[in-house]
Amino acid sequence: MAGSQRSKRHSKAMAESLETGHGEYARDGSVDLKGNPVLRSKRGGWTACSFVVVYEVFERMAYYGISSNLVIYLTNVLHQGTVTASNNVTNWVGTVFLTPVLGAYIADARLGRYWTFVSGSAIYLVGMCLLTLAVSVPTLKPPPCKANCEPASKLQLGVFFGGLYILALGNGGTKPNISTIGADQFDEFDPKERMHKLSFFNWWMFSVFLGTLFANTFLVYLQDNVGWTVGYGIPTLGLIISVIIFLAGTSFYRHKVPQGSPFTRMARVIVAALRKWRLPIPNDPKELYELDLEVYTRKGKFRIDSTNTIRFLNKAAVKDGSDTPWTLCSVTQVEETKQIIRMLPILTAMFIPSTMIAQTNTLFIKQGTTLNRHIGPHFQIPPACLGALVTLSMLVSVVLYDRYFVKFMKIWTKNPRGITLLQRMGVGLVLQIIIMLVASLTEKSRLSIARSHGLDKTGGQVPVTIFILLPQFVLMGIADAFLVVGKIEFFYDQAPESMKSLGTSYALTAYGVGNFLSSFLLKLVSNITSRHGEGWVLNNLNASHLDYYYGFLTILNALNFMYFLYVSKIFSYKVELCRSLDASGDDRGATYAQKELST
């Protein structure tokens, strides 16, 4: 009943705006927090996005202020071994990026994106405060030592990891919704705003890595040289500031009404199709069950034309006299389900690339601890600061991509994005293969020097500058500008309008699974020995064979790239407007047609 009243208010407000000329209401169903339709001139656009983007700078500063140096804290303060610490980091990061599936469900089905985000922020803050307490109170961490270190107690581990996983739970409410809230500020029914959305994700990632840059430089330096209390206290303060900034923009935001559980809607399509598996599908798609276009227009939604992809699901829209939600579904509902299912192969192709990214905050950083970090007689570079190279190269790459690369490629391809989203992701995958090959060769050289000095027996610092790791970090940033940004935009763009949070969570899920996969692979290879009896990954990296492990990841990435090429070739892009929408707003409704583009 409430949804029906809201739709009527929205239709009435739009009609009045056209008659009086007092301004144009958003035509995509956007409302304020009370459910009233909103004027485009008063809410949304880049004004609203500015609060969201600035929030993300501070929030990423908080998150990476914890995660960037986490492996160092676990090994140096909690006295965990290299494999254990690395796996604890990737398991936690994996959880951080899997909880967004739950947050996306709650947002799309129950609370809406805004209130899910606010609730998640409160939980996030509790986790950050507990972590700051864990690194500050002497009894909550083992005493400092250099040899024969006392392991952390169950209480100390419980408090620290309790804070980490509370933070992960809060992140589940914030992460899938904040970028979606930003993208929601642009009306798909308005050509100008639709074009602005194309640039949003580039600038969104710019804000992400701006916050990351601060964390990987200033905060990491404070943690290594001033203390963990200050190094964790500042990110906690930054998170508080970020939430205040987001709340300050509340009066400018456009909101989307929750559409009900996306999982339930998809389940209904699958169940209805299975129940009618014997029924033939009519040759004319118009004979399938569908709602009137006016119904979708009134709700600010798109009607989607029937397609022949995953044709079996079309049976859910075949009319057979029954009209319950579990026996008869509209064509649009069927196509929404197809859109989610079609992305699954692309999602699986992102697991291995996410495993490569996971090495940046674990083994890449541990490599840095074995190298000469001195700049002058009195200053040492904290190994975690190497992550700043990823951030800097990505910041530069995103700006160059958005300002120059897209404009140049549009002339050639006639694609408003320059190249397709899958092509952008593919470039990132190729760069990742090169990165792991470079990392393997660099590690092979480092190990050769370490063994020539007998450091494989004694451990210690290899007399080689830490800057030999610079190429793999810089290339990772360039790869992220293609792969990470492209992945987030792809899963948002290709998700149905009513399931955007779920679509965004796909990108995060890939990273989460990739981190768990990294833990599995590292544990697997830690038990492998070379022909000389040396382990691939040991606490003493000078006696290890990380070059073999990186070579293994190179091969794995190359095989995954071949799989990506295949699933990209068979993928059909969604959502090309079958009718252009002029700026005057005369076209009150639109449908989506599936259009297969070159990948």
Side-chain angles (χ1 to χ4, degrees), residues 175-495:
K175 194 62 179 174
N177 292 303
I178 185 63
S179 59
T180 311
I181 289 172
D184 285 346
Q185 305 312 307
F186 301 101
D187 189 349
E188 280 283 353
F189 283 85
D190 180 80
K192 186 176 180 180
E193 291 196 11
R194 193 165 64 249
M195 290 301 297
H196 285 168
K197 186 183 288 190
L198 298 181
S199 293
F200 168 73
F201 284 102
N202 286 327
W203 292 106
W204 168 259
M205 290 306 300
F206 184 90
S207 70
V208 167
F209 280 83
L210 194 62
T212 307
L213 177 62
F214 183 84
N216 286 337
T217 51
F218 182 67
L219 291 181
V220 165
Y221 177 81
L222 289 178
Q223 290 167 358
D224 278 21
N225 295 277
V226 178
W228 294 99
T229 300
V230 175
Y232 274 47
I234 291 178
T236 302
L237 179 62
L239 183 63
I240 294 172
I241 293 173
S242 71
V243 174
I244 293 174
I245 288 172
F246 175 83
L247 294 176
T250 298
S251 61
F252 296 97
Y253 299 143
R254 300 174 188 173
H255 304 277
K256 294 294 180 66
V257 179
Q259 300 294 318
S261 168
F263 300 110
T264 300
R265 297 204 302 278
M266 291 188 292
R268 286 172 175 169
V269 171
I270 295 171
V271 169
L274 289 173
R275 284 181 169 180
K276 294 183 284 189
W277 66 277
R278 293 183 177 179
L279 295 180
I281 300 173
N283 294 325
D284 186 356
K286 293 181 180 180
E287 295 181 22
L288 296 173
Y289 174 70
E290 181 56 290
L291 302 176
D292 292 335
L293 180 59
E294 183 181 348
V295 175
Y296 294 101
T297 304
R298 188 168 62 245
K299 294 180 179 180
K301 295 178 61 178
F302 291 106
R303 189 174 71 180
I304 310 176
D305 292 338
S306 179
T307 66
N308 288 324
T309 59
I310 319 180
R311 183 173 170 79
F312 174 78
L313 293 181
N314 288 353
K315 291 178 180 290
V318 174
K319 302 172 186 177
D320 66 344
S322 177
D323 60 355
T324 68
W326 292 91
T327 57
L328 184 63
C329 304
S330 67
V331 169
T332 294
Q333 187 177 345
V334 171
E335 293 302 322
E336 287 178 339
T337 302
K338 290 182 182 180
Q339 288 167 8
I340 291 294
I341 293 175
R342 275 205 306 269
M343 292 192 292
L344 288 175
I346 302 296
L347 173 64
T348 59
M350 293 296 104
F351 294 162
I352 297 298
S354 298
T355 300
M356 306 301 119
I357 296 173
Q359 309 312 309
T360 306
N361 287 332
T362 53
L363 293 179
F364 281 14
I365 298 299
K366 287 298 293 181
Q367 277 181 284
T369 64
T370 69
L371 296 167
N372 180 9
R373 293 173 275 144
H374 286 279
I375 298 181
H378 305 295
F379 183 76
Q380 289 191 66
I381 299 176
C385 279
L386 293 172
L389 299 174
V390 177
T391 305
L392 283 171
S393 60
M394 181 167 181
L395 286 173
V396 173
S397 299
V398 166
V399 173
L400 293 177
Y401 184 94
D402 191 62
R403 291 300 184 189
Y404 300 103
F405 181 80
V406 172
K407 292 180 180 178
F408 173 77
M409 293 302 297
K410 277 198 298 187
I411 298 174
W412 183 32
T413 65
K414 309 302 181 184
N415 188 314
R417 287 190 171 94
I419 56 177
T420 68
L421 295 173
L422 290 176
Q423 286 172 341
R424 181 174 185 171
M425 294 157 66
V427 173
L429 294 182
V430 171
L431 289 173
Q432 278 198 348
I433 296 172
I434 297 172
I435 290 166
M436 298 316 299
L437 181 60
V438 168
S440 180
L441 295 175
T442 301
E443 178 64 6
K444 185 178 181 65
S445 175
R446 188 193 71 83
L447 288 174
S448 177
I449 297 171
R451 292 187 173 101
S452 69
H453 286 77
L455 297 174
D456 56 326
K457 303 293 192 299
T458 62
Q461 197 173 83
V462 180
V464 177
T465 176
I466 196 173
F467 290 113
I468 67 166
L469 301 179
L470 187 147
Q472 63 201 59
F473 280 92
V474 171
L475 285 172
M476 186 64 80
I478 299 173
D480 285 353
F482 285 89
L483 178 61
V484 176
V485 181
K487 178 176 64 177
I488 293 174
E489 186 174 358
F490 172 82
F491 286 118
Y492 175 88
D493 184 77
Q494 295 302 300

Side-chain angles (χ1 to χ4, degrees), residues 12 24 32 84 123 126 131 165 182 184 198 201 209 264 267 303 350 423 460 471 473 478 513 546 554:
K12 182 179 179 181
E24 186 177 344
D32 60 19
T84 300
I123 299 173
V126 171
L131 281 174
Y165 281 91
D184 285 346
L198 298 181
F201 284 102
F209 280 83
T264 300
R303 189 174 71 180
M350 293 296 104
Q423 286 172 341
F473 280 92
I478 299 173
V513 173
L546 273 183
T554 303

Side-chain angles (χ1 to χ4, degrees), residues 66 92 108 130 169 212-214 219 230 239 289 406 501 517 548 587:
I66 302 299
W92 172 68
D108 285 341
L130 187 58
L169 180 61
T212 307
L213 177 62
F214 183 84
L219 291 181
V230 175
L239 183 63
Y289 174 70
V406 172
S501 294
L517 183 58
Y548 292 175
D587 190 353

Side-chain angles (χ1 to χ4, degrees), residues 91-107:
N91 286 338
W92 172 68
V93 173
T95 304
V96 166
F97 286 93
L98 284 181
T99 53
V101 176
L102 175 62
Y105 166 79
I106 294 173

